[in-house]
Amino acid sequence: MTEIKQAGSSLIQLDCKDKESQHLTYKLYKGDATKFSMEDHGELKLIKEIDTDKEDNFWTVEVEVRDHGVPRLDTFVHINIFVEDVDDHKPLWHPANNGTYTVSIPENSDVGTFVAMVTAIDDDRPGTKHSKIKYAIEDMTKTFIIETDTGKIIVASPELDREDKDHYKLAVSAHSSDMISEKIFGEISIKITDENDNYPLFSQEIYSAAWFEDTKINSVLLTVRASDIDEGRNKKISYSILDGNMDDGCRMSVDKNSGKISTDSQLDYERKQSCFLTVVASDGGNKPLVTTARTSITQVQAKDEDHGEDGTIIYSIASHSDIFTIDKDIGIIRPVTTLDSETTGSYLVEIHAIDQSKTAKQTGTTTLTVVIDDVNEEGPLCKTVASVEIPSSSITGDLVYELKCSDSDVGPNGDLSYAINKGNTNLDFTIDSQGRIVVAKVLSKSAYNLEVIVFDGGIPPKKSSVHIEVNVIGEPKFLQLPTTLDINEDEKIGNVIYVVKSTSKNQFMRFAIKSGNSDGIFGINDVSGDIYLISKLDREQTPSYTLTLQLTDNISKHSSTGSVNIRVKDANDNIPTFDNNFYEFSVVENIPIKTTIGQVSAKDDDDGINADIEYSVESGNIVNTFTISTNGELILNKALDAEAITDYTLTIIAHDKGKPSFTGTTTVVVLVKDFDEFPITFVTGNPFKYTIPENAPLGAYILAVQAEDPDKDAEMHYQITDGNDGSFTIDSKSGNIILGRRVDRENVPEYNLTVEADNGTGDKTSTVVTITVSDINDNDPFCQQHFISANVHENETSGTIVTKIQCDDKDIVENANLMYSIISGNTGNGFRLNNTNIVVNSPLDYETINNYIIGLEVKDQGSPPRSSSILVTVDVVPVYKSPKLYETSVKINISEGITVGTTVYDVDATLNGATEGTWNAPGDLEYILQSLNDAKYFSTDVNTGEIIISGNLDRENMKRHTLNIKCVNRYNRNLYEILTIEIDVLDVNDNSPFFSNAAYIFLVDEDVKSDSFVGKVEAVDYDINENAELEYEIVAGENLDSFSINSSSGMVSVNNSLNASVQKGYVLSVVVTDNGSPRRSSRAKVMIKVNDINNHKPRFRQTVYYVDVREDVNIGDIIYQLQADDPDLDLNGKVTYSIESGNDDINFGMHLQKGYIYISGKLDREQNETYNMEIIAKDGGAPSKTSTTTLIVTVIDVNDNNPIFSRAIYDVKIDRFIAAGTVIAKVHATDSDKDYNSKIDFFIIDGNEDNFFLVNITTGEIKTNVFLHMAADFHKIVIKAADNGYPRLSATAKVNIAIYPSVINQGSHFEFRIPENVSIGTYVGKVLPDNIHGQQGQAYFSLIGGDSIGLFSIEQASGILRTEKFFDREDVDEYFLTIFIVHSVNNKTSYHKLVHVIIDDINDNNPWFLMPYREISVVENSPVGLPVVYFSVTDDDIHENGNITLSIDPSDPLANALFEMNNQESNLVLKIIPDYEMISDLALTVFAEDAGYPSRTATAEVVVNIIDVKDTKPYDDKPATYFSLECAINAHNGDRLTTFTPHDFGIYQSLADPIKFLTMNKGGVFDIHPDRGYLYVQNENFLYTDTRYVMWGIAQVKTNGTWNSAAGIIRVDTLIPNQHMVVIEHGVPVTTVRSQRNMLKYALQALFPLHNRVGIWDIIDEDTVVSRRKLLSTGFVGSSKLFTKFPSESDMLSDKQDNMIDQDYPYNRHSRPFKPWNASCTSINGTQNEYLSRQERWEDMLEKAGLGFQTLRKPVGPPMPHHLNHTKSDLTQKKLNPWIFKYGDDRMSIN
């Protein structure tokens, strides 16, 4: 099974036989009962999913099978269950990078250079293919590749050129297994850094110019220019002259920056007529690249002794004038065309000099030899496109293609090199220096398009591209896989259902099912391709399969895939099952005949006619009162009379139409109720309105509400259902409303009470009573401040506002009209009231009165009036003189050694007349030092302003102090001025010098010369000037005269020769002294180590070493390790190794440091059997020393030669009717190996799918295996010849077998589609016959299968298929028809055609709500996003026709403002916080609309009641109370879950206070008893598995006549007791356990994660439990039993869903009590035998473990948490047992 197999799935059906008994019972005897269950009929089921990522993948169960004879006999069956891991986790990027990478690489990086490693993690089972992550680069790039298994990104192209592209941004992905659709994406940013890889290029290759010999020295003759496309320093050009710059008249120089060439000496034409300079342009790289250019000036000169025109010479070129030209006057020669050294390497130029005589011209002749230097002007010349084929079995080293390229340049310019630039996927190929492309690793693709770049050796090089298409032959292919394959559901296990065939050229093929077979139903023969059944089919569980088949070439590992769709045809193997075993319908006796009372529904998991269900009433239908329709509707057939019959019990049967037919039954109870005729009406007026004063007394009568119902026996009861905060009560019988507690208009001015009248028979009606509260003067005026303090300056004028009075009154009208008056303290009428302001009335004088205390009265105008008083204190503020300084900043100097207490400055701020004083007679001024950082160095006399030294100054810590002195008037501190004093501190010699290190370590070689530098010591002195001048001296040390020190610099040097063998180290003491007064010094140690020199050579332990190695050893494998010893130290003793000789073919390599020999090339014993290599060991000394040894390697032979057939193809022609066993051919093969390596066996590996032929394994004879009368006409079989070496090598040959005479070929199938709403007679399709009927007759068609109810017809002559009835896709969505075709003349020519008709869906079904009317309650102040109601809605259509969207009626703005629809969860959720005071109820409509065209809709009506709660929380600083409870799904109505108290809700009450409880869950699954407070099951029909119910509960307490209320959230989770219960039976008294119940629960909780919850269901006395094993309890005086709930998957909370109610858990446990279960809410199922048998096994295990408790008992089928699923030995060793308690000496302690 796979790990995604769902709970409830069937794993295997056991079918045991007993000769004496037909009825056998199966029971799970051993194994994990939390995972597996065994049905009585032998079916093993999975009851809880298995996650192999966290759990084991192998499980064992043992099943006990018992008969029913006497005595009962049994046997046991062991079942091993293998759980196959599936890929159910997406990879996640490693958090270190989170999928984002940024790297840099140089542009000249070689192919294979590491770029980056991207890393992802996967939570699937380690070691499986699903946890293996594959990586890919998503962008199209040939520059980089990624290793799919490691995420390593490497360079794939040799042309990584920053000048072409300097930045790459690649998208990378990761996915696990084959889940490409679930891949994750990341990004890598790659910056290409510049390398100095471009040569400078001159603007010309040759520069030439002509100069006159009188040109001045330093004149610029010409300018050369070069450029470089690199960046930074690599592009900076400098020029120099390489040669030609000689003292023979060509002495010149070039400016290195500008390239300007100038003369360094005077030119002399007679000495030198031409100069040849080679100029070098160098770039600025670390390894500069250079380019040369030549300045060429060639000049010839002729002399003529004549004068005048007779001596005037004109020059001309007699030969090669098309190549060169000459200046006719001065003889300078220049080329006039491009020169090519490859065409002509030199020229012999004849030059004439002719005088200009008028009489007889004379001519002189000379020759000039011009040698043409080669430049790189030609690129490589290659065949640019090539195509080759290679076999998929190619191995490393096989030649793929050899390039033939040439370059007409000579020298280095013509030398060629090669590199594969593009298309080399996974670096499957390499290319050598000769242009040979060879296979580098196992081929990974079927085709490659390689781009090879060919470079010449020029500077810069020229290149050409060659494109090579490489096709790998042998790609596997399937032969005509069918699209759809039909098999019967009852097909037998082992039957072959199809044979897969291959047409691949490569014959080493293997078949496999890659996917679609997760439940292991099918198997495939990997050689023959037979698909067969290995497990029983179940169409109801899986109606179809899509198998992905894989065909793999075992040599190249290439593979291809194909798919086969398998449809399972139904067999009638399921009985109809009703939705419920019991239905109950209630009807009123007066309903009309033909009314539908209710509907029963049964379903049959079969298909087609096997699932068509009919209903009938079997019994209980007295006088045929009811009938039942075909769709299960129970219809009234005769009138009902409740007085005659009050209920009917009917037995309903559902039977299908299969053969044989199966039936199912259910019971329907119809309850007949009496009819109530008259409605309730109010008789005292409606609406009711009344006004009461807010001081009305308690118990005051307000008004009476009365209603009547003319129905007989109606007894009216009244209650207030809404709008009451506890202020009013109503007499339930009289309807009198009285005042229940004092009302306060200021809090609630009006009440709207909803009064409900109930006639006692189920009829109710209500009305609204409006009660208005009128005001009385019951509130004093309220002032924001009753004591006010204010200031006013003595010079303020009359009318100045001093302060403002602010008062208010909660009453209204005249009761809130306030008057203000001054009643006391206003001496001399200094102040008056101006409205609510106190203002100055008359002049003030600080010296006369400096403080007033004024009394005010505030009085309302009520009757009688009410008042409040206010006291106002007013201080009169005097006016003072301000301080004034002579200057605001001062600078002074102070020595750092100044004595503490010295006065350094006196501050004076008396310029404006303010006075200074003394400590006993202070003046106006105070001086304050504000520089707190300087307070430890300076202080200020507060009265006189003197600045005094208060601490030791230190210039080295602070060279300057800045003091801020505040001069302030002590009587008015707002009057002040600031003085800034800057104090510079002068230096004294108070610091000793100190060394930078306490000790110095220097190294020196023992052979160093005297006066050689050893090291330097450095010291620092924090003083300055002469106080910091330092002097060094060596004062102590052994043989200290061997070294000296420079007194000024601290440089240590060698004085005498050193000898490491005599003294390897020296320790000297060095002193440094400053030049201050007095002088100060410090000391340091100098340790000098003398280094040894290299005087030993390495030595091998043997002179000769022998090693044997197989010739198939892998490249990279280590075969031997050599070691040489060198006693020298450090580098002198560090040995490196190398192979000096004997490794000409470079098949071996040697690690430089470790000395191991490894394989670097493929060995071939047939080519070279022995290698004799000389090994050198070299130490690291300078100079180094070496030694040698010999390593002799002998290559051991392996089987490395394939057999060879004498012929590649054998052609055979045979008769169809020869006998089986006839020899038809013989193949022959040889092998050049010996012994077993050359012994050949023959096999047929392909083309023999029907096993028509056999081959003799030894002789190669081919025989017929069966008669061939039904065989195909032609067969191509492949024979493999395999030797017996290891590994076995093989070759193949083809045998073409033609069989005569020919046999007729068969036809194929048809598939047609029609919509489900087609009319009768619609054309479906045409069935075509095979082309075998000829002209002597025709084909006749008939429909013989797949249509038992006559839905189709076929025309006999044409084969046209038509419809005969109407279709409904929702009943049957496809048909498989069998068409019989016969020849009209020769009826022996007949065959069948299979026609598949698919019924396409149309949108013909409305969506429908499971509950179209809902009434819900929502507590006000509920949080936004809270789900309030869930809708179950479905649509029988499929695809878009069945996709449903929920919405709120868009025409209802109120509903859309309050709610919104969560379509993902099908929940109506709160959009805003509801407020009862804003809206108390509303009705809304919800639409369900499908996505069909046109769309169809359904509606549901929702009535929402907003529940009013007290708007203040019980505790303002704590969250609302939250209760978390559980209940079994098999609980019954009335079963109790828990009992609440007001204390649970945060309300405290005395014993006499009345209490009430209610839940805002009217008609819900649970309710709270209003008086007793217990939560109980109200509607058991809506208890569902793994369901969470959330409701509001309210507790009310009446204290001192006032009702206090608080709300809490109640959550109830359902559970299956058998899967969640553990019973712990022990010897601890029940009173002890109960007293420590909470402690016990938290101890158990600690064993599990916080989001799992452990609860205690019940603790009961042992006396109430029947114990089967009394012997176990004899050792205990008293005992008890603990029923404990352990966590399951359903207990796990979603952070998003439960954030509102779980935010404080577990830190606020007190406010969220965890209520224990009640026994009546849970039942333990299971037979007594099963229960006791399981108990025995647990008891045995615990007894052997030596545990302190009697029994750890679990009911049938409970799960053990996976970390507790241990073997018996684990329990014995007590490794982990959180379910066990330790029993203490005198009391129970929780472990």
Side-chain angles (χ1 to χ4, degrees), residues 1385-1396:
V1385 176
N1386 180 12
N1387 58 13
K1388 292 184 178 179
T1389 304
S1390 63
Y1391 48 93
H1392 299 82
K1393 294 287 185 181
L1394 183 65
V1395 178
H1396 181 200

Side-chain angles (χ1 to χ4, degrees), residues 148-390:
T148 57
D149 293 327
T150 66
K152 179 181 178 181
I153 299 175
I154 58 176
V155 177
S157 170
E159 291 192 338
L160 193 62
D161 193 351
R162 183 203 62 81
E163 287 72 28
D164 291 336
K165 187 173 183 179
D166 63 354
H167 188 270
Y168 294 81
K169 186 169 286 187
L170 306 177
V172 294
S173 67
H175 66 88
S176 58
S177 185
D178 296 317
M179 296 184 66
I180 299 178
S181 62
E182 295 292 328
K183 67 172 61 171
I184 59 174
F185 297 90
E187 184 180 82
I188 180 169
S189 179
I190 305 172
K191 180 181 179 182
I192 309 302
T193 59
D194 185 65
E195 290 290 304
N196 193 20
D197 59 343
N198 290 282
Y199 287 82
L201 295 177
F202 281 96
S203 58
Q204 302 172 223
E205 291 184 353
I206 298 176
Y207 294 81
S208 61
W211 308 312
F212 291 99
E213 67 176 340
D214 60 352
T215 300
K216 294 182 179 180
I217 296 175
N218 296 326
S219 296
V220 176
L221 306 179
L222 61 88
T223 301
V224 295
R225 290 186 175 86
S227 60
D228 193 321
I229 61 174
D230 287 319
E231 67 175 6
R233 60 182 294 178
N234 295 331
K235 69 180 297 181
K236 182 175 177 60
I237 307 295
S238 61
Y239 303 88
S240 61
I241 297 176
L242 179 65
D243 58 32
N245 188 21
M246 297 176 291
D247 290 327
D248 57 355
C250 293
R251 194 68 183 174
M252 303 177 188
S253 63
V254 62
D255 186 278
K256 69 175 183 178
N257 295 319
S258 66
K260 295 180 178 180
I261 298 176
S262 58
T263 61
D264 281 355
S265 60
Q266 187 62 47
L267 299 178
D268 186 353
Y269 179 87
E270 287 71 19
R271 184 182 179 192
K272 192 74 172 181
Q273 292 79 39
S274 61
C275 298
F276 294 89
L277 304 180
T278 301
V279 179
V280 174
S282 301
D283 61 25
N286 289 331
K287 295 182 178 179
L289 301 179
V290 298
T291 304
T292 58
R294 299 193 66 180
T295 57
S296 176
I297 304 171
T298 303
Q299 188 176 33
V300 296
Q301 183 182 11
K303 293 183 179 180
D304 194 320
E305 300 291 338
D306 296 323
H307 297 281
E309 291 181 341
D310 294 338
T312 301
I313 299 174
I314 299 296
Y315 298 94
S316 64
I317 293 178
S319 62
H320 304 297
S321 59
D322 58 333
I323 304 298
F324 302 95
T325 184
I326 191 169
D327 187 293
K328 66 183 180 63
D329 295 317
I330 60 177
I332 292 177
I333 301 172
R334 296 184 179 89
V336 296
T337 186
T338 301
L339 303 179
D340 187 358
S341 68
E342 289 77 15
T343 303
T344 306
S346 64
Y347 295 87
L348 192 63
V349 182
E350 182 179 336
I351 300 173
H352 292 174
I354 305 172
D355 66 22
Q356 299 301 304
S357 174
K358 296 293 188 181
T359 56
K361 294 183 178 182
Q362 300 293 324
T363 300
T365 302
T366 188
T367 57
L368 173 67
T369 301
V370 181
V371 179
I372 310 301
D373 290 341
D374 183 64
V375 294
N376 190 24
E377 56 187 353
E378 299 293 337
L381 182 62
C382 309
K383 180 182 178 182
T384 59
V385 178
S387 177
V388 295
E389 288 186 350
I390 61 174

Side-chain angles (χ1 to χ4, degrees), residues 1527-1758:
C1527 185
I1529 61 170
N1530 56 357
H1532 300 293
N1533 288 343
D1535 285 352
R1536 301 178 186 180
L1537 278 71
T1538 190
T1539 300
F1540 295 113
T1541 67
H1543 178 76
D1544 295 333
F1545 289 80
I1547 302 177
Y1548 299 91
Q1549 93 283 1
S1550 65
L1551 294 176
D1553 291 340
I1555 60 174
K1556 288 184 180 179
F1557 297 89
L1558 66 152
T1559 176
M1560 302 299 105
N1561 192 34
K1562 184 178 180 181
V1565 181
F1566 304 93
D1567 201 0
I1568 302 177
H1569 191 279
D1571 299 319
R1572 300 180 182 178
Y1574 59 77
L1575 182 70
Y1576 64 95
V1577 178
Q1578 181 175 252
N1579 194 338
E1580 63 186 64
N1581 294 327
F1582 291 96
L1583 285 173
Y1584 302 113
T1585 303
D1586 293 335
T1587 303
R1588 176 187 307 161
Y1589 303 84
V1590 180
M1591 68 212 78
W1592 285 88
I1594 295 178
Q1596 297 178 322
V1597 176
K1598 188 174 184 181
T1599 305
N1600 298 325
T1602 301
W1603 285 97
N1604 297 318
S1605 62
I1609 299 174
I1610 303 172
R1611 166 180 163 178
V1612 181
D1613 293 86
T1614 59
L1615 59 95
I1616 302 174
N1618 290 6
Q1619 293 183 353
H1620 301 265
M1621 286 293 193
V1622 172
V1623 181
I1624 303 178
E1625 187 177 339
H1626 51 81
V1628 180
V1630 66
T1631 55
T1632 303
V1633 180
R1634 285 176 176 168
S1635 67
Q1636 301 189 40
R1637 178 178 189 144
N1638 288 336
M1639 189 172 150
L1640 169 60
K1641 183 182 71 174
Y1642 291 135
L1644 292 172
Q1645 178 68 64
L1647 301 170
F1648 296 92
L1650 290 180
H1651 53 260
N1652 297 135
R1653 298 192 306 281
V1654 176
I1656 297 177
W1657 169 48
D1658 206 359
I1659 305 169
I1660 63 175
D1661 269 322
E1662 179 63 28
D1663 295 339
T1664 63
V1665 181
V1666 179
S1667 176
R1668 189 179 64 87
R1669 299 185 69 180
K1670 295 294 184 180
L1671 292 176
L1672 289 174
S1673 61
T1674 58
F1676 297 93
V1677 175
S1679 61
S1680 59
K1681 190 172 291 185
L1682 176 70
F1683 292 79
T1684 308
K1685 174 190 177 290
F1686 283 90
S1688 67
E1689 292 298 328
S1690 64
D1691 290 324
M1692 300 183 70
L1693 302 178
S1694 165
D1695 289 337
K1696 293 182 179 178
Q1697 293 176 343
D1698 295 322
N1699 184 55
M1700 181 271 296
I1701 57 179
D1702 264 24
Q1703 58 189 345
D1704 62 302
Y1705 185 73
Y1707 307 108
N1708 194 10
R1709 297 179 184 270
H1710 177 72
S1711 64
R1712 299 177 31 199
F1714 191 108
K1715 289 300 180 183
W1717 300 339
N1718 190 285
S1720 61
C1721 193
T1722 309
S1723 63
I1724 300 176
N1725 297 328
T1727 65
Q1728 182 69 10
N1729 287 339
E1730 291 171 325
Y1731 191 96
L1732 296 179
S1733 175
R1734 180 168 300 279
Q1735 177 191 356
E1736 274 185 332
R1737 292 197 296 277
W1738 278 86
E1739 289 169 349
D1740 292 342
M1741 293 169 68
L1742 293 173
E1743 285 171 2
K1744 292 181 180 180
L1747 302 173
F1749 281 98
Q1750 287 175 290
T1751 307
L1752 174 59
R1753 182 181 299 168
K1754 297 175 68 179
V1756 175

Side-chain angles (χ1 to χ4, degrees), residues 1139-1153:
I1139 301 174
E1140 180 67 12
S1141 63
N1143 189 26
D1144 296 336
D1145 48 6
I1146 317 178
N1147 282 338
F1148 300 90
M1150 191 169 193
H1151 193 280
L1152 184 66
Q1153 286 84 23

Side-chain angles (χ1 to χ4, degrees), residues 31 80 199 330 385 522 551 593 703 728 773 879 1518-1519 1600-1601 1603 1615:
N80 294 330
Y199 287 82
I330 60 177
V385 178
F522 305 97
L551 181 61
I593 296 174
L703 78 159
F728 305 93
V773 182
V879 178
K1518 292 186 177 180
N1600 298 325
W1603 285 97
L1615 59 95

Side-chain angles (χ1 to χ4, degrees), residues 296-518:
S296 176
I297 304 171
T298 303
Q299 188 176 33
V300 296
Q301 183 182 11
K303 293 183 179 180
D304 194 320
E305 300 291 338
D306 296 323
H307 297 281
E309 291 181 341
D310 294 338
T312 301
I313 299 174
I314 299 296
Y315 298 94
S316 64
I317 293 178
S319 62
H320 304 297
S321 59
D322 58 333
I323 304 298
F324 302 95
T325 184
I326 191 169
D327 187 293
K328 66 183 180 63
D329 295 317
I330 60 177
I332 292 177
I333 301 172
R334 296 184 179 89
V336 296
T337 186
T338 301
L339 303 179
D340 187 358
S341 68
E342 289 77 15
T343 303
T344 306
S346 64
Y347 295 87
L348 192 63
V349 182
E350 182 179 336
I351 300 173
H352 292 174
I354 305 172
D355 66 22
Q356 299 301 304
S357 174
K358 296 293 188 181
T359 56
K361 294 183 178 182
Q362 300 293 324
T363 300
T365 302
T366 188
T367 57
L368 173 67
T369 301
V370 181
V371 179
I372 310 301
D373 290 341
D374 183 64
V375 294
N376 190 24
E377 56 187 353
E378 299 293 337
L381 182 62
C382 309
K383 180 182 178 182
T384 59
V385 178
S387 177
V388 295
E389 288 186 350
I390 61 174
S392 61
S393 57
S394 299
I395 61 174
T396 302
D398 284 359
L399 179 65
V400 177
Y401 183 75
E402 185 173 0
L403 281 74
K404 302 295 184 181
C405 300
S406 61
D407 191 315
S408 58
D409 288 318
V410 296
N413 296 333
D415 295 337
L416 301 183
S417 58
Y418 305 83
I420 302 176
N421 183 44
K422 297 179 181 178
N424 192 10
T425 303
N426 293 335
L427 305 180
D428 289 346
F429 305 94
T430 60
I431 188 167
D432 64 13
S433 60
Q434 303 302 313
R436 291 188 293 264
I437 299 174
V438 297
V439 177
K441 60 175 68 172
V442 175
L443 302 176
S444 58
K445 290 178 59 177
S446 60
Y448 300 79
N449 287 303
L450 304 180
E451 182 187 57
V452 178
I453 304 298
V454 186
F455 303 86
D456 64 21
I459 301 178
K462 294 183 180 293
K463 60 185 179 181
S464 298
S465 297
V466 179
H467 295 273
I468 304 168
E469 179 183 3
V470 180
N471 293 307
V472 182
I473 60 173
E475 189 73 19
K477 296 180 181 178
F478 287 98
L479 175 64
Q480 296 179 351
L481 280 177
T483 303
T484 304
L485 187 63
D486 291 318
I487 59 176
N488 293 323
E489 181 179 11
D490 53 2
E491 189 80 34
K492 293 183 178 179
I493 295 175
N495 284 1
V496 176
I497 61 171
Y498 188 73
V499 179
V500 185
K501 298 181 180 180
S502 164
T503 61
S504 176
K505 295 180 181 179
N506 191 309
Q507 307 305 323
F508 297 94
M509 302 297 164
R510 292 295 181 267
F511 298 93
I513 301 175
K514 187 176 182 183
S515 64
N517 191 30
S518 58

Side-chain angles (χ1 to χ4, degrees), residues 997-1244:
N997 297 305
Y1000 295 81
I1001 299 176
F1002 301 131
L1003 302 178
V1004 61
D1005 292 335
E1006 63 178 348
D1007 58 349
V1008 68
K1009 295 180 180 179
S1010 295
D1011 298 326
S1012 296
F1013 168 72
V1014 175
K1016 181 179 181 181
V1017 297
E1018 293 184 11
V1020 177
D1021 192 316
Y1022 285 150
D1023 292 318
I1024 59 176
N1025 302 327
E1026 67 274 3
N1027 295 334
E1029 294 176 359
L1030 304 181
E1031 184 178 10
Y1032 299 89
E1033 181 184 6
I1034 299 175
V1035 297
E1038 183 182 3
N1039 295 321
L1040 58 84
D1041 58 345
S1042 296
F1043 301 90
S1044 62
I1045 188 168
N1046 187 293
S1047 61
S1048 300
S1049 66
M1051 300 281 287
V1052 179
S1053 303
V1054 177
N1055 252 1
N1056 301 320
S1057 59
L1058 303 178
N1059 189 336
S1061 61
V1062 175
Q1063 188 168 347
K1064 293 184 178 180
Y1066 297 81
V1067 178
L1068 308 178
S1069 181
V1070 178
V1071 170
V1072 62
T1073 306
D1074 66 23
N1075 201 27
S1077 179
R1079 301 185 71 179
R1080 306 172 74 96
S1081 63
S1082 64
R1083 186 182 297 261
K1085 284 185 178 181
V1086 176
M1087 289 173 281
I1088 302 174
K1089 180 181 177 182
V1090 181
N1091 293 331
D1092 191 16
I1093 61 173
N1094 188 21
N1095 55 1
H1096 295 90
K1097 68 177 182 178
R1099 291 188 180 274
F1100 286 98
R1101 299 175 182 178
Q1102 297 176 212
T1103 56
V1104 180
Y1105 294 82
Y1106 296 91
V1107 178
D1108 293 338
V1109 60
R1110 288 168 54 92
E1111 66 176 327
D1112 60 348
V1113 66
N1114 294 325
I1115 293 176
D1117 284 359
I1118 297 172
I1119 63 170
Y1120 197 77
Q1121 185 171 11
L1122 290 91
Q1123 183 176 347
D1125 301 315
D1126 191 326
D1128 289 325
L1129 303 176
D1130 302 324
L1131 288 176
N1132 295 333
K1134 185 175 181 179
V1135 180
T1136 57
Y1137 305 85
S1138 61
I1139 301 174
E1140 180 67 12
S1141 63
N1143 189 26
D1144 296 336
D1145 48 6
I1146 317 178
N1147 282 338
F1148 300 90
M1150 191 169 193
H1151 193 280
L1152 184 66
Q1153 286 84 23
K1154 297 182 180 180
Y1156 57 71
I1157 304 291
Y1158 60 90
I1159 301 298
S1160 61
K1162 186 171 179 58
L1163 300 180
D1164 189 353
R1165 186 198 59 80
E1166 288 73 18
Q1167 298 293 328
N1168 193 348
E1169 188 172 3
T1170 303
Y1171 293 83
N1172 196 325
M1173 292 181 283
E1174 182 182 12
I1175 308 298
I1176 289 184
K1178 180 180 180 182
D1179 66 23
S1184 63
K1185 295 181 180 293
T1186 61
S1187 62
T1188 62
T1189 189
T1190 300
L1191 176 66
I1192 299 175
V1193 179
T1194 302
V1195 182
I1196 305 302
D1197 186 50
V1198 296
N1199 185 29
D1200 57 349
N1201 290 286
N1202 293 69
I1204 300 175
F1205 277 95
S1206 59
R1207 294 160 57 186
I1209 299 176
Y1210 296 81
D1211 293 315
V1212 180
K1213 182 177 180 181
I1214 61 173
D1215 187 279
R1216 181 174 299 278
F1217 302 103
I1218 61 176
T1222 302
V1223 176
I1224 61 172
K1226 182 177 181 180
V1227 295
H1228 179 71
T1230 59
D1231 191 313
S1232 58
D1233 288 319
K1234 295 181 179 180
D1235 302 324
Y1236 281 99
N1237 293 339
S1238 63
K1239 186 178 183 298
I1240 297 175
D1241 296 333
F1242 298 91
F1243 308 91
I1244 300 177

